[in-house]
Amino acid sequence: MIVCGDDALAERLAAELTTVYRERVTLVVPAGHRTVPTGPARTTTMLGRVQAVVNRTAGQATDGASDAPHVVEAPELTEALLAEAGVREAAALALVHDDDETNIRTALAARRLNPRLRLVIRLYNRKLGQHLEELLDQAAVLAVPGLDPEVLDTSTTVLSDADTAAPALAATAVAGTSKVIQADGLLLRAVERTPPGHGETAGPGLCTLALLSSTTNDPAGAEGSDASGREGPMLLPDDDTVATSTGHGTVVLETVTHSAATPPPRRLAGRGAPLGSLFSRRLRWSLAGLMACVLALAVATWLTSEQKHPLHAAYLTLLDLFAINDPAIGESTTRQVLQLLAGLAGLLFLPVLLAAVLEALGTFRTAFALRRPPRGLSGHVVLLGLGKIGTRVLTRLNELDIPVVCVEEDPEARGIPLARRLRVPTVIGDVTQEGVLESAKIHRAHALLALTSIDTTNLEAALYARSVKPDLRVALRLYDDEFAAAVHRTLRAAHPRALTRSRSVSTLAAPAFAGAMMGRQILGAIPVERRMLVFAALNVAGHPHLEGRTIAESFRAGAWRVIALDTTEPDDRVPDLAATPANDSADRPAGLIWDLHPGYVLRPQDRVVLAATRQGLAELLGRQPQLRPRSSGG
């Protein structure tokens, strides 16, 4: 396995492959990169850091010795360097640079050197990523005549750390929801449930994912706590264990159902302000009153004039209204009075019409401007930072219909156009300055998501928000996982009744990237306390632990569990179950069955969705039959 990167994600990905999947890894980094130790004398330090990362992420120590990753430094990632790193003999290559152009250029060169190479590419642009996957897979098929595309085993996978971590970060703002993943257009969430009281029963769910540790009686759970002397969570327990375990909270998988919502308001040109918001309520009542007066005058003119057709009477009334009719000299008194009243109505109609035009122009002008937080807003989520991560989180929160107020210092930030299009209230300002969080109504907010790229800014915002509202739910994006754990413990001790979550984006994203390098489709990963569960779509064929076994027989407690079955014909299946359905496939019926009969026998042509630990999934794929320690000489 070869990993090319320049930030913490590369280091954590190398740690996943080395100590969890026991793969031989070559880590290619820029020369002089500060986060990766170099030189023979520092190899042990590198291995120690990698193992420490995995230990904290997995929630358990790695037994035995592991081969340290081979570190290669180079000022530029060239085709010659790839060949030197062994790309021709490698099974997989991960390109996780923060620069999309570097990843694309390197992927094209690697595909030329090794058509059978499994590529995992970090790319923020999702639409470009779809086209790149098709291009590189097609190049692999053409480079090897007669090669079956199915043999490529998902040859190219494009992932985004922002997309991978966004559901986990956004879900912290939803009460009772720990994580949200997507499978075949269906949203699933892992909900933490407290132990039922005497005589109570737990609510329904698709399956129980974990039994939480005894420390979860704390409002903040066991996250960030020291592993020594504490019982960790039990992942994927069997039904008997769940039934006999009392006093433990559980993590249950549920579907996110959407009630029949009212149709959205009609919009001008598909993206402007709603039609009803063009005019104020007072102006609409004024227009209605004047139209009623005009209608009454038209009816009176029709009844008192010699003209029998009502349209002619209405026409005369409009001429009088706009003062372009001849004076009613020599006509009846009734006609003259009606003409005067119509002229008076015309005088009243002109300023109202002018006000309507000015108000409509103002509405159109502000339709594309950033909204300010409404005065009475409460129970919302304050989202700090609209960079790559913040933009994806904003999209997720909008999909969940959660009210959001954004705070961003840079008016040209990546997520500003999205906030403008979604009409999300946004405050432009430095969150470290006094009054900015107050403008976002932090004192009436439900949660704070501090997602800037600067740890100190996120921490300062969290501390200040807690001083304003001590029971505020807070989620912090922090770069270093050790620092995140320390911050979590400190905030939990200072505010024991408030919910605090500290998240490292690289920690949340690394398991998905590592899973894709192992040759399967990853739907998502959810942390349980400080351990991780991975959801994957897997073809049954070729896996002896699944093929020919019933659903009940295929289940292995603490390792993996089949939770859904894809009944769609193999030729009609969606290649990527985690992708958002396209518009042309919105009416396509979902092929996943979640209520599985335990006696159903899995066939080779079936595809299943399973929840697994990282070690369990590695064993299921035959990469690591047993997690036994290896001797230092082996």
Side-chain angles (χ1 to χ4, degrees), residues 144-211:
V144 184
L147 178 64
D148 186 358
E150 296 296 333
V151 179
L152 292 176
D153 190 19
T154 59
S155 174
T156 306
T157 304
V158 176
L159 295 174
S160 167
D161 57 336
D163 285 331
T164 306
L169 294 168
T172 58
V174 183
T177 300
S178 297
K179 290 293 167 287
V180 177
I181 64 171
Q182 182 169 284
D184 201 21
L186 181 67
L187 286 178
L188 305 172
R189 61 181 178 180
V191 182
E192 293 185 10
R193 290 181 177 173
T194 57
H198 180 71
E200 297 179 356
T201 57
L206 295 177
C207 65
T208 300
L209 298 177
L211 286 173

Side-chain angles (χ1 to χ4, degrees), residues 74-95:
E76 186 177 357
L77 194 58
T78 62
E79 188 170 327
L81 178 62
L82 290 175
E84 180 185 349
V87 73
R88 290 188 175 91
E89 298 80 20
L93 168 67
L95 302 169

Side-chain angles (χ1 to χ4, degrees), residues 363-417:
T363 302
F364 277 117
R365 184 174 60 253
T366 58
F368 302 99
L370 292 172
R371 291 183 57 197
R372 300 290 298 176
R375 289 185 177 180
L377 182 63
S378 63
H380 58 286
V381 175
V382 177
L383 175 60
L384 173 58
L386 286 176
K388 292 196 303 183
I389 305 298
T391 302
R392 292 289 192 254
V393 173
L394 175 59
T395 302
R396 290 283 181 171
L397 292 175
N398 182 71
E399 293 172 353
L400 296 173
D401 294 327
I402 297 175
V404 184
V405 173
C406 299
V407 179
E408 174 56 53
E409 181 180 6
D410 182 10
E412 302 297 327
R414 187 190 298 265
I416 292 296

Side-chain angles (χ1 to χ4, degrees), residues 232-317:
M234 182 181 297
L235 302 182
L236 301 175
D238 55 37
D239 295 337
D240 294 338
T241 304
V242 175
T244 56
S245 297
T246 58
H248 288 266
T250 58
V251 177
V252 180
L253 187 66
E254 293 181 346
T255 59
V256 179
T257 57
H258 298 278
S259 58
T262 56
R266 182 182 177 185
R267 296 182 178 272
L268 297 179
R271 57 177 297 176
L275 185 60
S277 66
L278 288 177
F279 310 112
S280 64
R281 184 177 180 182
R282 180 180 300 178
L283 184 59
R284 292 198 300 268
W285 277 110
S286 300
L287 288 173
L290 285 175
M291 295 304 296
C293 292
V294 172
L295 180 61
L297 290 174
V299 172
T301 302
W302 174 49
L303 295 176
T304 58
S305 64
E306 298 178 356
Q307 299 292 334
K308 301 300 182 183
H309 203 284
L311 292 180
H312 187 270
Y315 175 66
L316 291 179
T317 302

Side-chain angles (χ1 to χ4, degrees), residues 274-527:
L275 185 60
S277 66
L278 288 177
F279 310 112
S280 64
R281 184 177 180 182
R282 180 180 300 178
L283 184 59
R284 292 198 300 268
W285 277 110
S286 300
L287 288 173
L290 285 175
M291 295 304 296
C293 292
V294 172
L295 180 61
L297 290 174
V299 172
T301 302
W302 174 49
L303 295 176
T304 58
S305 64
E306 298 178 356
Q307 299 292 334
K308 301 300 182 183
H309 203 284
L311 292 180
H312 187 270
Y315 175 66
L316 291 179
T317 302
L318 290 177
L319 291 178
D320 294 335
L321 183 69
F322 295 114
I324 57 177
N325 197 17
D326 293 333
I329 299 176
E331 299 188 20
S332 63
T333 304
T334 302
R335 171 71 183 121
Q336 292 176 343
V337 171
L338 290 176
Q339 189 177 56
L340 291 175
L341 292 176
L344 180 61
L347 292 177
L348 298 175
F349 182 74
L350 287 178
V352 175
L353 181 62
L354 179 61
V357 172
L358 294 177
E359 193 167 292
L361 289 176
T363 302
F364 277 117
R365 184 174 60 253
T366 58
F368 302 99
L370 292 172
R371 291 183 57 197
R372 300 290 298 176
R375 289 185 177 180
L377 182 63
S378 63
H380 58 286
V381 175
V382 177
L383 175 60
L384 173 58
L386 286 176
K388 292 196 303 183
I389 305 298
T391 302
R392 292 289 192 254
V393 173
L394 175 59
T395 302
R396 290 283 181 171
L397 292 175
N398 182 71
E399 293 172 353
L400 296 173
D401 294 327
I402 297 175
V404 184
V405 173
C406 299
V407 179
E408 174 56 53
E409 181 180 6
D410 182 10
E412 302 297 327
R414 187 190 298 265
I416 292 296
L418 177 64
R420 183 181 293 111
R421 179 170 59 87
L422 297 178
R423 303 287 295 157
V424 175
T426 304
V427 177
I428 301 297
D430 185 359
V431 71
T432 60
Q433 298 297 322
E434 186 176 356
V436 175
L437 280 178
E438 284 81 355
S439 301
K441 315 296 182 186
I442 191 66
H443 58 286
R444 292 201 297 264
H446 170 70
L448 169 68
L449 297 180
L451 306 180
T452 72
S453 58
I454 304 175
D455 287 1
T456 55
T457 300
N458 295 335
L459 182 58
E460 182 177 353
L463 294 176
Y464 181 77
R466 279 284 168 80
S467 67
V468 176
K469 188 177 181 182
D471 60 343
L472 181 69
R473 181 191 298 263
V474 171
L476 293 163
R477 172 197 174 187
L478 298 175
Y479 181 81
D480 183 75
D481 195 49
E482 264 188 33
F483 181 53
V487 168
H488 170 84
R489 288 194 297 265
T490 304
L491 289 178
R492 186 180 61 179
H495 303 277
R497 296 186 178 181
L499 184 61
T500 303
R501 291 290 184 263
S502 54
R503 293 286 185 250
S504 169
V505 174
S506 57
T507 300
L508 297 174
F513 281 81
M517 293 187 72
M518 303 302 295
R520 66 199 174 275
Q521 183 187 23
I522 298 297
L523 304 181
I526 64 168

